[in-house]
Amino acid sequence: MYNLSPKKAKRALLWLCMAHFVCDIYTGFLNLIMPFIAAKLGFSMAVAAVLISISHICSNMLQPIFGFFADNNLKRFFVFWGLVLVSVFIPLTPNSPNIPVLLLFMILGSLGGSFFHPQATGFTNIFSKQDCCSDNMGAFISMGSLGFAFGPLIAALITQLLGLSMVSWTSIMGLFLAGIMFLCVPK
């Protein structure tokens, strides 16, 4: 489908793996910071659990729907905008003034993850050579798992050292990477 030089294909795969790492870092934030947000806004852990569940539904259960559209549209729209949404809205959740705004930020951020994953997985397959597709897919999936594992650690470190409201500054990392993705992943 794509006629890329091996060097450009490797570079695209590298940035897709890094973007998967960063995207899932943000997804890992929510479980750790939700008790702090609940204390700040004054709602129970039961409400927090419902909000986290809604977020996971938006992030995971909608991926097949976005995957259907991504399969029919081999553009990087879903990869780029998915990373932008998750990078902006998940870090904004600690600064939510009330539950409806919190829920909106969580849904928009989770939809970003849901946008990103099917298209990025498909691109990983497309940019891989036939003989090393499983290696590249394994690296791509591993980077997401590492991101999900490091997300709570990063959120805990920032919250402990700088305060909960400073989590929003992590958006810079995702937006920077989205810019690189815009330049390095073929159109």
Side-chain angles (χ1 to χ4, degrees), residues 115-180:
F115 274 16
F116 175 84
H117 284 92
Q119 185 80 50
T121 304
F123 275 177
T124 299
N125 185 40
I126 289 170
F127 297 144
S128 296
K129 289 184 176 180
Q130 193 69 16
D131 58 324
C132 63
C133 182
S134 60
D135 293 343
N136 292 331
M137 193 61 71
F140 176 78
I141 291 169
S142 295
M143 290 302 283
S145 297
L146 282 173
F148 194 72
F150 278 103
L153 296 173
I154 292 169
L157 183 68
I158 292 169
T159 301
Q160 183 67 32
L161 296 178
L162 303 172
L164 185 62
S165 63
M166 296 305 285
V167 170
S168 62
W169 285 94
T170 63
S171 290
I172 294 168
M173 170 181 60
L175 293 173
F176 177 74
L177 186 58
I180 291 174

Side-chain angles (χ1 to χ4, degrees), residues 47-62 103 106-107 110-111:
V47 172
V50 169
L51 293 173
I52 290 287
S53 294
I54 292 169
S55 170
H56 287 313
I57 288 169
C58 291
S59 180
N60 298 318
M61 300 304 289
L62 296 177
L103 184 60
M106 290 174 70
I107 288 172
S110 297
L111 285 175

Side-chain angles (χ1 to χ4, degrees), residues 37-52:
I37 296 170
K40 177 184 161 195
L41 296 180
F43 58 84
S44 69
M45 293 309 327
V47 172
V50 169
L51 293 173
I52 290 287

